[in-house]
């Protein structure tokens, strides 16, 4: 009875969480027309408030910050000032700010991490509005144009835009599904947030937002009680009666955690910070000023992370019968087929429709299982000791290297996978499949589902090799490569900040060493490079020492063009097929470079 009731409570909690998520999908806002109006007002000079752009940094590399600041400087807006907020007092950051011509702030300590860094800069700057980008995010040229006009409504305190990613996250990379699987956060940023916007319950995500300085100062600055200062900021602004608008346009792009360990650690930190709110003044259930819809939507964030305990229990549940005999359900296999099959089909169809194709239910279940061990333990720790662990910056640096198994991530999945196989064998050897065929069939059904998921989780725990430290984009441009007294024309295949993959119009011998790249369509000439490799009819040229102006042109072309990151939803059927194929394909072991 205890096992059965626990299983029922677990399933009940999962469906309660799903119901809250579906509630936020019933009505989605579209603020494109308001953004168009904002852009017209800015371009006509009718509304040009002063804007401070904050780029907080702690341990990120110089090249990452150079790209972000150049992107911020490329934004089409006359009254903006860029501030590099260095929380580690690095001489290299001060030098970078001087090189690029932006303002630089540091502080004597790191108290309250990112929130403290932002609060330190607030009284030292004076723009009417503040734009914030994390160190890895690069805005499009029209970011301020399309957002600042919303603030003509004096009740609007913040405009949040989606987070998009120009590299693939750990799951898509390690399974080799870059062309068929959406990143894990797309559902939240492109579907859930527009739904929350209809109830003025938008969550700030710490980057790619604009906030009214006077509103931020009215709530005492960025809250520092929890490590998720962004979520706390949105709760306090809404509790104070302000509006937060969500513009569902891809106006910037950053880097996703592409190592499985960093991916898991980042989500666990979000879980800890969200649950800390229960014990802080930003608890959405108790803070004065929120209406019931806002409380429900913000509470759904807490419920989401608590649900990891249910996901973890469901990975363990079949083992209880297979090894010890307690029944999960009191029903027959025929009843399971009769009730569960149509429900599952109906649920998948409903979920795909409500989420506008941004997430396959199959992949949603997989992501929840992959995060369940680490996040479940984080939830338990946070409930008993919410403020035990401090803030840790996610490492998003791309490093070349061979594939490697992250043992800490892989171990729980390997243990559970072996336990499921042994459990089925044990139940057969002890005759449970004959004594209780229906209970055995149901437990084996859940065990088989878990085995498939656990195998996929193991594959994701293998970080595949990184062939280059740069993110390459498929770009076709006319190109001329010259060296010494000769050269060859052709077309680029891939383009990045650090190299060019080039297909020459004709094969030519003697192309080694130093060279120059000319991309007339981009206005780039005499970019210094060296021929790194020639194979399969293509050349790879490493960009060696470009001028600052050449860097600006290249970064603006690759990252900052309006509508650069727009893409249609990927096929639901393709996502389901790739889910089935990924486990057999074993990309990290067989096909990765």
């Amino acid at each position: 009875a205890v096992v059965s009731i626990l299983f029922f409570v677990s399933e009940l909690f999962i469906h309660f969480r799903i119901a809250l998520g579906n509630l936020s999908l019933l009505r989605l806002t579209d603020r494109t027309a308001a953004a168009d109006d904002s852009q017209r007002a800015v371009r006509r000079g009718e509304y040009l408030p002063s804007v401070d752009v904050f780029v907080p940094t702690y341990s990120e590399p110089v090249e990452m910050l150079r790209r972000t600041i150049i992107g911020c400087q490329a934004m089409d807006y006359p009254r903006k000032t860029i501030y590099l907020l260095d929380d580690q007092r690095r001489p290299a950051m001060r030098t970078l700010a001087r090189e690029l011509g932006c303002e630089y702030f540091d502080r004597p300590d790191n108290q309250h991490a990112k929130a403290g860094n932002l609060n330190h800069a607030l009284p030292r700057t004076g723009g009417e509005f503040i734009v914030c980008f994390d160190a890895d995010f690069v805005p499009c040229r029209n970011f301020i144009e399309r957002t600042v006009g919303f603030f003509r409504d004096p009740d609007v305190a913040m405009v949040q835009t989606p987070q998009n990613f120009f590299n693939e996250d750990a799951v898509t990379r390690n399974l080799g599904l870059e062309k068929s699987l959406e990143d894990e956060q797309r559902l939240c940023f492109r579907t859930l947030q527009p739904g929350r916007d209809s109830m003025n319950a938008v969550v700030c995500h710490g980057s790619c937002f604009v906030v009214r300085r006077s509103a931020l100062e009215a709530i005492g600055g960025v809250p520092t009680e929890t490590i998720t200062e962004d979520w706390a900021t949105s709760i306090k602004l809404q509790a104070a009666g302000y509006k937060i608008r969500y513009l569902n346009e891809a106006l910037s792009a950053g880097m996703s955690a592409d190592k499985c360990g960093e991916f898991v650690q980042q989500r666990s930190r979000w879980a800890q910070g969200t649950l800390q709110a229960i014990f802080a003044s930003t608890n959405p259930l108790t803070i004065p000023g929120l209406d019931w819809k806002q409380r429900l939507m913000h509470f759904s964030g807490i419920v989401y992370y608590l649900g990891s305990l249910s996901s973890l229990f469901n990975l363990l549940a079949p083992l209880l019968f297979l090894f010890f005999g307690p029944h999960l359900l009191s029903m027959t296999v025929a009843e399971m087929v009769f009730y569960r099959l149509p429900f599952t089909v109906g649920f998948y169809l409903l979920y795909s429709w409500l989420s506008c194709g941004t997430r396959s239910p199959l992949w949603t279940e997989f992501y929840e299982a992959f995060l369940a061990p680490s996040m479940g333990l984080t939830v338990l720790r946070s409930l008993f000791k919410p403020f035990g662990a401090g803030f840790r910056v996610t490492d998003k640096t791309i490093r070349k290297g061979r594939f490697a198994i992250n043992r800490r991530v892989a171990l729980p999945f390997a243990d559970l996978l072996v336990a499921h196989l042994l459990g089925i064998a044990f139940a057969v050897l002890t005759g449970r499949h004959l004594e209780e065929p229906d209970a055995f069939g149901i437990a084996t059904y859940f065990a088989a589902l878990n085995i498939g998921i656990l195998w996929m989780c193991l594959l994701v725990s293998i970080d595949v090799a990184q062939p280059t430290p740069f993110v390459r984009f498929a770009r076709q441009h006319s190109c001329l490569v010259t060296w010494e007294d000769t050269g060859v024309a052709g077309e680029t295949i891939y383009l990045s900040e650090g190299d060019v993959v080039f297909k020459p119009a004709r094969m030519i011998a003697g192309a080694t060493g130093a060279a120059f790249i000319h991309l007339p369509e981009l206005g780039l000439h005499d970019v210094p490079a060296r021929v790194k490799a020639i194979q399969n009819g293509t050349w790879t040229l490493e960009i060696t020492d470009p001028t600052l102006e050449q860097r600006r042109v290249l970064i603006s072309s690759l990252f900052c063009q309006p509508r650069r990151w727009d893409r249609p939803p990927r096929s639901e059927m393709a996502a389901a097929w790739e889910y089935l194929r990924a486990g057999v394909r074993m990309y990290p072991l067989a096909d990765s470079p």
Side-chain angles (χ1 to χ4, degrees), residues 496-507:
S496 78
E497 301 166 77
D499 62 7
V500 175
V501 180
F502 164 74
K503 185 174 182 61
R506 58 187 176 88
M507 296 306 296

Side-chain angles (χ1 to χ4, degrees), residues 84-105:
L84 178 58
L85 311 182
D86 179 20
D87 219 13
Q88 213 177 44
R89 301 165 293 282
R90 291 178 286 172
M93 289 294 107
R94 189 182 295 272
T95 301
L96 177 66
R98 190 181 306 115
E99 172 195 337
L100 298 180
C102 71
E103 301 297 322
Y104 173 86
F105 287 156

